[in-house]
């Protein structure tokens, strides 16, 4: 039996629900689903979105209403849920939830994470770099203690030229800055994490986000911003990937990966 893990930036859980998210979730057969940009508070989720297709939700809400927020839905009950990175600035923004499925012979985490966007200006770009500086050693420490994990989410970085349509004209834009791309290279090469989708699919024009401007969706002028980033042991179990394009729930597309293991 495969373990199916989905990630999707919702651009608002209520908005995505209005576009058919709940019915689709019933059909996709996910064992876990990481969601980002929930844009809701606990009161908004209560009675409506605590569960999704038989999976129980675990959330990290932003303090600011209608902003950020992440969730992780899981069919199996985690042994522990960790909300936040332990950093006041970014924990206030609701960017990290980790479900642990530990057993006597196994330490395994599934993480839903929403990296900041720097596209609104220098202040937010500086915040994005601060976030990268925090999350890198955090993931390194988890790996060093022998914990296998898959981090899914909207990383807001297109790693290589193949990962966005118009790479030449975007080299000075947030999401494709040399410093951001170098951070990602370091995460994969030095820290030894794996970009799971790319190991399975080496082809161009594989995008997960499209601007709402200039007919980007119709012309497939996209970016690959959503990832499964995994430790090597669990990454090696990935067997199949898909970007779901048949229906749109937000400006991002769901990214689905099957792994050959069970929780």
């Amino acid at each position: 039996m495969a373990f199916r893990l989905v990630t999707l930036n919702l651009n608002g859980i209520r908005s995505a629900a209005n576009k058919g998210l709940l019915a689709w979730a019933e059909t996709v057969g996910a064992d876990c689903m990481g969601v980002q940009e929930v844009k809701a508070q606990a009161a908004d989720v209560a009675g409506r979105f605590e569960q999704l297709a038989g999976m129980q939700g675990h959330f990290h809400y932003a303090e600011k209403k209608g902003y950020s927020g992440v969730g992780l839905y899981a069919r199996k009950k985690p042994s522990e849920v960790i909300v936040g990175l332990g950093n006041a600035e970014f924990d206030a923004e609701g960017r990290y939830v980790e479900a642990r499925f530990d057993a006597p012979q196994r330490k395994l985490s599934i993480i839903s994470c929403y990296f900041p966007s720097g596209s609104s200006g220098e202040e937010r770009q500086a915040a994005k770099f601060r976030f990268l500086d925090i999350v890198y050693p955090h993931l390194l420490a988890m790996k060093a203690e022998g914990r296998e994990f898959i981090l899914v989410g909207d990383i807001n970085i297109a790693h290589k030229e193949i990962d966005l349509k118009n790479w030449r004209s975007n080299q000075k834009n947030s999401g494709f800055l040399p410093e951001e791309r170098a951070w990602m290279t370091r995460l994969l090469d030095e820290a030894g994490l794996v970009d799971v989708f790319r190991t399975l699919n080496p082809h161009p024009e594989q995008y997960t986000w499209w601007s709402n401007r200039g007919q980007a969706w119709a012309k497939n002028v996209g970016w690959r911003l959503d990832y499964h980033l995994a430790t090597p042991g669990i990454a090696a179990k990935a067997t199949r990937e898909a970007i779901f394009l048949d229906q749109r729930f937000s400006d991002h597309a769901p990214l689905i990966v099957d792994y050959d293991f069970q929780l």
Side-chain angles (χ1 to χ4, degrees):
M1 280 288 288
F3 171 76
R4 177 162 289 180
L5 178 58
V6 179
T7 187
L8 172 61
N9 179 313
L10 297 169
N11 199 13
I13 195 167
R14 289 163 287 192
S15 169
N18 290 338
K19 294 171 183 172
L21 173 71
L22 306 187
W24 174 76
E26 294 284 349
T27 68
V28 74
D31 296 288
C32 278
M33 185 181 297
V35 293
Q36 303 85 41
E37 271 203 282
V38 174
K39 292 186 175 179
Q41 307 297 125
D44 305 311
V45 168
R48 289 188 71 191
F49 304 120
E50 294 112 324
Q51 293 188 326
L52 186 66
M55 298 178 287
Q56 181 64 44
H58 311 276
F59 298 92
H60 186 199
Y61 303 109
E63 291 176 5
K64 182 178 166 185
K65 287 190 175 181
Y67 179 74
S68 190
V70 295
L72 186 72
Y73 290 94
R75 202 164 296 285
K76 183 176 178 181
K77 186 178 180 180
S79 54
E80 186 181 1
V81 176
I82 296 164
V83 175
L85 282 160
N87 173 275
E89 177 184 5
F90 295 110
D91 287 354
E93 295 183 356
R95 297 195 175 275
Y96 182 96
V97 61
E98 174 188 345
R100 294 188 166 181
F101 300 92
D102 291 359
Q105 303 299 320
R106 180 186 71 188
K107 291 196 280 188
L108 172 66
S109 292
I110 310 293
I111 301 160
S112 177
C113 192
Y114 177 43
F115 285 44
S117 168
S119 57
S120 63
E122 288 182 17
E123 189 178 323
R124 287 310 295 169
Q125 185 62 45
K128 184 176 184 178
F129 284 134
R130 287 196 298 276
F131 186 84
L132 297 181
D133 286 344
I134 289 160
V135 81
Y136 185 93
H138 175 81
L139 297 178
L140 212 59
M142 288 175 66
K143 185 168 176 274
E145 70 164 43
R147 178 167 292 280
E148 296 277 4
F149 63 83
I150 311 167
L151 181 150
V152 299
D154 178 0
I155 308 302
N156 264 313
I157 299 170
H159 184 209
K160 296 185 175 178
E161 293 164 7
I162 193 176
D163 294 320
L164 71 168
K165 185 77 166 187
N166 294 325
W167 67 267
R168 283 185 180 84
S169 58
N170 278 295
Q171 293 176 84
K172 294 183 179 178
N173 290 335
S174 182
F176 199 61
L177 295 174
E179 301 94 325
E180 296 170 335
R181 298 172 62 200
W183 181 90
M184 184 70 86
T185 297
R186 207 170 116 230
L187 188 72
L188 302 178
D189 292 356
E190 290 181 27
L193 296 190
V194 178
D195 177 354
V196 176
F197 175 86
R198 257 310 162 226
T199 65
L200 297 172
N201 188 327
H203 305 297
E205 302 200 352
Q206 304 294 308
Y207 307 131
T208 63
W209 175 82
W210 299 260
S211 168
N212 289 319
R213 288 178 267 177
Q215 290 189 294
W217 168 257
K219 296 176 180 177
N220 198 25
V221 179
W223 297 54
R224 188 172 72 96
L225 298 178
D226 302 86
Y227 290 78
H228 285 224
L229 297 171
T231 45
I234 205 93
K237 296 180 184 293
T239 58
R240 180 181 170 276
E241 49 65 34
I243 299 170
F244 181 78
L245 302 172
D246 294 348
Q247 193 177 350
R248 297 200 76 195
F249 312 110
S250 79
D251 51 352
H252 291 251
L255 173 60
I256 305 162
V257 179
D258 289 348
Y259 296 84
D260 186 18
F261 73 90
Q262 286 183 294
L263 286 182

